[in-house]
Amino acid sequence: MNIGSEPVKRTLALAGVLVALLVIGAITRPDIFLNAASFWSNELTVLTLAAAIGVVTMGMTFVMIGGGIDLSVGALLALCTVWCTTVATQSYGVTGVIFSALAVGTGAGIVNGLLIAYGRLVPFIATLAMMVAARGLAQKISGSRTQINHVEFINDLANNKVLGFPYIVAIFAVVVAVCWVLLNRTTFGRRTVAVGGNAEAARLAGINIKRHTLLLYALSGLCCGIAALIVVAQTTSGSNTNGDLYELNAIAAAIIGGTALTGGRGTIVGSLFGVLIFSQIANLFTINNLPTETQRIVNGAIIVGAVLIQQFRLADFRRKPKIHSGG
């Protein structure tokens, strides 16, 4: 009973944090947060800026629930932006740009999965190596130059709107919805939780651990490809510097949302709130002209606090069965 209600309590707590941030905004910048038009415009900006890192976080959430970690997501995003903008200059059209971004991201994710599942490398080492290699390859392809994207369809994704929301926000919403269904309503989701919770028990239950791990990293790579298209739409360019610190931001958002570093637990809704909270904090710092370094200190403190809360709750959960069994 308590286990089932835990995600609901966490979601309500995260919603409360988000409301508190809006209250802080109303106090510090009433000209923005207490004016309907300005507030809506500001929050659209927050959602737009959250779209790319949000999509990356969805893939990261699956990997972490499955008991892994992916440090290469930022570098893969950069590689995808460089690759697809290079394709854009070769007259392959919008289909070529989209396909190249998704294929490169998924392919790199598959390489990660092969190294981890079949090469038996520790996820930290495998994805760290991919992070360095992908960033270097992006730099080599681009010649350390920013590549301008001239495919209007991609650029228009950041400007055109559907139901009042930019297309890139709609893409983010679709990814979140698909990931929610995948985690909560499919065998793939149940297997992900099982593999992350107890890999040996999952193996004895008939789950192909290696294949499932491969699929998890492929999914993470695919999300990097989608996020790369969002970044290209926002900046109208590709660069080997794109995605800087995205791996840390995605891990942080997932942790804030309740995803366990040890695997076996996490929610898509929680990760979504984690992304929105960090994006709202960044927005508050920007509109109040506060230094970026202070924001990073605050983000670090939030991450530490979230992990400590996880540790205490895990310790309490482990103690409870012993108390009941003694009675």
Side-chain angles (χ1 to χ4, degrees):
M1 188 81 175
N2 291 334
I3 297 175
S5 63
E6 183 64 26
V8 176
K9 292 179 180 178
R10 187 187 307 113
T11 300
L12 291 175
L14 292 171
V17 172
L18 199 55
V19 170
L21 291 174
L22 295 178
V23 171
I24 292 173
I27 294 172
T28 58
R29 289 301 302 272
D31 55 316
I32 294 177
F33 284 82
L34 297 183
N35 180 286
S38 298
F39 175 76
W40 177 246
S41 177
N42 182 67
E43 293 310 302
L44 275 184
T45 300
V46 172
L47 290 174
T48 300
L49 295 176
I53 186 61
V55 171
V56 171
T57 301
M58 295 302 109
M60 183 69 78
T61 299
F62 273 91
V63 170
M64 291 177 65
I65 292 175
I69 199 77
D70 192 347
L71 300 179
S72 66
V73 291
L76 291 188
L77 184 146
L79 179 60
C80 291
T81 64
V82 168
W83 204 301
C84 73
T85 50
T86 300
V87 169
T89 65
Q90 299 173 355
S91 303
Y92 285 106
V94 61
T95 302
V97 172
I98 294 175
F99 176 78
S100 61
L102 301 183
V104 169
T106 305
I110 289 174
V111 172
N112 277 336
L114 288 172
L115 291 173
I116 294 166
Y118 296 92
R120 298 184 179 180
L121 288 182
V122 177
F124 179 88
I125 299 299
T127 58
L128 181 63
M130 177 61 76
M131 177 182 74
V132 176
R135 190 73 72 177
L137 182 57
Q139 187 174 4
K140 183 174 180 60
I141 293 173
S142 65
S144 298
R145 294 188 299 269
T146 299
Q147 300 183 160
I148 304 301
N149 174 55
H150 297 290
V151 178
E152 292 184 4
F153 178 85
I154 301 297
N155 295 339
D156 288 342
L157 292 176
N159 301 318
N160 294 342
K161 295 183 178 181
V162 55
L163 300 177
F165 294 92
Y167 278 117
I168 57 176
V169 174
I171 292 172
F172 176 32
V174 169
V175 171
V176 170
V178 171
C179 287
W180 186 90
V181 172
L182 192 61
L183 181 61
N184 296 284
R185 295 292 184 267
T186 68
T187 302
F188 181 85
R190 290 190 290 273
R191 288 178 176 175
T192 299
V193 175
V195 169
N198 190 323
E200 181 59 22
R203 185 187 67 80
L204 294 174
I207 298 175
N208 189 324
I209 304 297
K210 292 182 178 180
R211 183 178 64 188
H212 194 81
T213 299
L214 174 62
L215 292 175
L216 287 175
Y217 283 93
L219 176 60
S220 179
L222 174 62
C223 287
C224 290
I226 297 172
L229 293 172
I230 292 175
V231 170
V232 171
Q234 290 174 310
T235 63
T236 67
S237 64
S239 171
N240 63 281
T241 61
N242 284 332
D244 183 39
L245 294 180
Y246 267 39
E247 56 279 348
L248 300 181
N249 293 335
I251 293 171
I255 290 173
I256 291 299
T259 302
L261 284 169
T262 52
R265 191 179 42 157
T267 66
I268 295 299
V269 174
S271 293
L272 172 61
F273 271 109
V275 171
L276 295 178
I277 286 171
F278 277 116
S279 298
Q280 193 68 59
I281 290 173
N283 176 256
L284 287 174
F285 272 80
T286 299
I287 63 177
N288 285 290
N289 297 316
L290 297 174
T292 305
E293 54 268 28
T294 304
Q295 176 191 331
R296 291 183 175 179
I297 294 172
V298 171
N299 288 349
I302 292 173
I303 295 169
V304 171
V307 173
L308 286 176
I309 291 173
Q310 277 192 11
Q311 295 290 79
F312 287 130
R313 285 180 175 175
L314 182 60
D316 289 340
F317 174 73
R318 286 174 176 172
R319 283 196 298 266
K320 284 180 182 178
K322 296 179 183 179
I323 296 173
H324 290 305
S325 62

